[in-house]
Amino acid sequence: MTHLYRAAAFWFWRQLFLLPLVLLSLSASAQGQLARYRTGKMQLDQGHYATAMQELEPLAQPINKFAQAGDAAYLYAVAATRLGQWAEAEQMLNLIRNQYPTYGNLNEALYLQGQVSFEQGDYDTALRTLGQLPAEQYGPLREAMQATYLARLKDRTTWQRLQKRYPQSKLIGRYYADYLLAGGSLNEADRQQLEALVSQFKLDRTRYATALTATGPAAPKALPRKGSYNIAVLLPFELQDNTWQTQRKNQFVTDLYAGLRLAQDSLQRTGHPVQLYAYDTGADTLTLKSILALPELAGMDLLIGPVYKSGAKLLARYAREHQIICINPLSQDADLVQDNAYHYLYSPSAATQGRVAAQFAASAFGTGRPAVLLHEDSKDENDFAAAYQAAYEAAGGHLLATHAFRPDDPGSLAAAFLPAELAGASHFVVASDARKAGPAAFTALAAVPAASRPALVVPGTWLDNPGLGVGQLGSAGVYYYHPKYFDTQRPGYRRFRQLYLAKQKLPPSVFANQGFELLLFFGNALLQYGPAFQSGLASAPPQPGAIFEGLTYPSTAHDNQTVPLFKLSNLEPQLVR
């Protein structure tokens, strides 16, 4: 007992002796953090923004328990905006709202968030965030910022979404009217919209008089049907380069064309001949421009191609000027077919995928609990996210959080995939095909207790991600939106595969599938409605596909509106929409 008593006494006096040293060490650490904060603030004041960000970033992290972490995060965001690093600023502002909700300068952070969202083209988030600011203090500042960025907005889809979401906003109404006025010749729908805006907000009618009385562009005229139709296929075959690298890179083009040729054979066998004329556009727009100058092209009944965005814009303009319908075989960019009666996307646009997925989620999961939406910071995924948010909120739901991320940046991934945000959500949407997004999503979900774990809605391309296990992919709460989904047991596909194997001695790729389905559908549209088949497609019921789930272009839609959603049951796809 004596030994135990002595040991205990030694430990007690030792701790008593060390306590001042520990307190001194803690005090020194706090002093060091404060010194670093002051340095960062001074660097910001002197215009050394990158250095300021380096000093302030660690102080803003909750793990370091800096007493003025909220201020450090806000000043970091200010420095990032001065450098035009909008994504970095947004991450830090999100950190403030999530980790420091009682931050005393929160209104200034929200005001800055408005600018950051505007600069990234996220008008919905910008207006919603600025709307949280007290009007008596921020009213004039808020309106000035909104006016500055609304005057720059040139995207019709965004304008239409904003006008529907804020129908009573005179500021949005006035700038939308100016946008319509600047667009030149208006169609009847635009003219009616402009008239409604002028009347509702009592705008200066003389300013818009010319646009309101002008005659819009004529609708496409019906053309006589023919026994056979000529179709130009404009793809980057790059036949002049026979290197294996080019051939391998362009395999998808070869497969797409092989599918088109097989559909041509199928149409021929049913007594509906079409003639394909292939043109090698190469990898640059100069070659495409030389092809568009050929007189023979103006005599075609349908154009298919190209695959690169710069060329797609050129061909779309040519299609409109020559009144020949053009089908883009691969793009998901709705902007390409905006305001062009002669341009169609074969695939559902990213925006259509977002809208359909949101409508499914609102029906399947309800709108009583919020959702969390993450998306890769790229054009298609940004379009998907904007459409998803608009459609989900229109259905009565709301988003607990939405984050853009860069999949190759570990810090960006970590800042977006936050398990704490998922616990109260009904579902979790991740719009990204990137390989690293899948593991990050399932890791975040695994940190949520099973009883409160949300459903997961993701692209069907995740099924091909080698970093994900079948146990994860087949989980009960995981749903996939997949425009390229098809049933391998469907008789139409099995017949197509048999014919393709006989011709090519290889099984068909998804690009071959798309080429076959594209020409079969639009070839039949030519034969049924003639070369100006816009009104025919607009009024036609949904068409089942020979391979894919179907194609439909109702009303004014110029991208396919059929987006399959499914889950895995015993690792077999089960369609839920």
Side-chain angles (χ1 to χ4, degrees), residues 220-257:
K221 295 181 180 179
L223 297 175
R225 301 182 194 178
K226 302 192 297 187
S228 178
Y229 292 94
N230 297 328
I231 300 174
V233 179
L234 298 94
L235 296 174
F237 297 102
E238 296 193 55
L239 299 177
Q240 302 302 319
D241 188 345
N242 292 320
T243 62
W244 69 267
Q245 293 96 333
T246 298
Q247 291 179 4
R248 183 174 181 179
K249 182 189 72 171
N250 276 19
Q251 185 62 48
F252 78 99
V253 176
T254 305
D255 291 352
L256 181 68
Y257 187 64

Side-chain angles (χ1 to χ4, degrees), residues 207-421:
R207 173 179 170 80
Y208 306 97
T210 302
L212 289 170
T213 57
T215 303
K221 295 181 180 179
L223 297 175
R225 301 182 194 178
K226 302 192 297 187
S228 178
Y229 292 94
N230 297 328
I231 300 174
V233 179
L234 298 94
L235 296 174
F237 297 102
E238 296 193 55
L239 299 177
Q240 302 302 319
D241 188 345
N242 292 320
T243 62
W244 69 267
Q245 293 96 333
T246 298
Q247 291 179 4
R248 183 174 181 179
K249 182 189 72 171
N250 276 19
Q251 185 62 48
F252 78 99
V253 176
T254 305
D255 291 352
L256 181 68
Y257 187 64
L260 293 170
R261 289 296 302 271
L262 199 57
Q264 180 188 21
D265 293 344
S266 294
L267 291 168
Q268 181 77 36
R269 284 195 301 272
T270 58
H272 302 303
V274 296
Q275 307 303 320
L276 295 184
Y277 297 88
Y279 295 86
D280 185 357
T281 62
D284 58 73
T285 56
L286 291 177
T287 306
L288 177 59
K289 287 178 180 178
S290 66
I291 293 171
L292 297 182
L294 297 173
E296 66 201 61
L297 206 67
M300 295 292 170
D301 300 302
L302 185 70
L303 308 173
I304 297 174
V307 298
Y308 300 125
K309 192 166 186 176
S310 56
K313 292 179 178 179
L314 283 175
L315 190 55
R317 190 181 308 124
Y318 180 92
R320 180 166 50 196
E321 291 171 353
H322 291 79
Q323 299 188 359
I324 306 170
I325 293 178
C326 170
I327 315 298
N328 188 294
L330 301 180
S331 179
Q332 300 180 54
D333 186 357
D335 293 346
L336 289 176
V337 296
Q338 191 70 48
D339 299 325
N340 190 339
Y342 292 90
H343 199 194
Y344 285 83
L345 301 184
Y346 162 75
S347 299
S349 68
T352 292
Q353 294 174 48
R355 175 179 52 79
V356 172
Q359 291 168 346
F360 162 76
S363 173
F365 313 130
T367 56
R369 291 189 295 155
V372 173
L373 171 61
L374 307 184
H375 60 96
E376 187 175 335
D377 191 9
S378 62
K379 175 65 169 67
D380 284 348
E381 283 68 26
N382 288 337
D383 287 352
F384 176 99
Y388 192 99
Q389 181 170 353
Y392 189 64
E393 291 179 350
H398 70 282
L399 298 180
L400 177 68
T402 175
H403 302 300
F405 63 88
R406 299 183 301 279
D408 293 327
D409 181 350
S412 180
L413 278 177
F417 290 82
L418 301 173
E421 294 180 342

Side-chain angles (χ1 to χ4, degrees), residues 7 44 69 76 141 148 202 278 294 317 363 373 393 417 463 514:
L44 175 61
Y76 174 98
L141 289 172
T148 297
K202 297 179 173 52
L294 297 173
R317 190 181 308 124
S363 173
L373 171 61
E393 291 179 350
F417 290 82
L463 295 171
Q514 288 176 272

